[in-house]
């Protein structure tokens, strides 16, 4: 017998097959903190705590686009401001 799954949004949604649940995870409808259960009665648990969805969450995580890391560079204006500040300190300390 195939296992059917339910997830809890505002109300219990389901039944869904394992494949359908994996598609919901891949599309971001179910995240790791969405409550799920494998029967119509019984305790709800976070989807991340079920062994059935570890592979689906792993695949969904690696499918996300990676954020580009911004390199922290001084702008030309900030660099010139810093140079002028240092020159002014040197000139004022001379007099």
């Amino acid at each position: 017998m195939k296992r059917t799954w339910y997830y809890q949004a505002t109300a219990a949604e389901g039944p869904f097959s394992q494949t359908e649940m994996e598609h919901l995870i891949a599309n971001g409808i179910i995240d790791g903190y969405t409550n799920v259960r494998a029967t119509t009665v019984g305790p709800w648990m976070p989807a991340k705590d079920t062994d059935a969805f570890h592979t689906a969450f792993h695949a969904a995580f690696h499918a996300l686009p990676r954020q580009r890391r911004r390199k922290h560079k001084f702008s030309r204006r900030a660099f010139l401001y810093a140079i002028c500040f240092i020159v002014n300190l040197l000139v004022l300390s001379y007099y």
Side-chain angles (χ1 to χ4, degrees):
M1 185 171 125
K2 290 185 177 183
R3 179 181 265 187
T4 57
W5 290 92
Y6 295 83
Y7 76 92
Q8 188 177 32
T10 55
E13 303 284 339
F16 295 101
S17 69
Q18 178 78 23
T19 305
E20 291 172 320
M21 290 291 281
E22 289 171 359
H23 285 288
L24 292 172
I25 291 169
N27 292 321
I29 296 169
I30 295 176
D31 65 8
Y33 297 98
T34 303
N35 287 325
V36 298
R37 66 180 175 195
T39 60
T40 57
V41 294
W44 292 96
M45 67 175 49
K48 66 181 177 65
D49 294 341
T50 61
D51 292 335
F53 302 122
H54 282 283
T55 305
F57 281 117
H58 184 73
F61 176 77
H62 288 292
L64 293 173
R66 294 188 183 252
Q67 296 286 331
R68 285 188 173 183
R69 294 185 181 180
R70 292 184 181 177
K71 295 181 180 178
H72 297 285
K73 293 183 178 179
F74 277 115
S75 67
R76 185 178 299 167
R77 177 184 245 170
F79 178 73
L80 292 174
Y81 178 78
I83 295 296
C84 290
F85 180 76
I86 293 169
V87 169
N88 282 332
L89 282 177
L90 291 173
V91 169
L92 289 175
S93 67
Y94 180 73
Y95 290 108

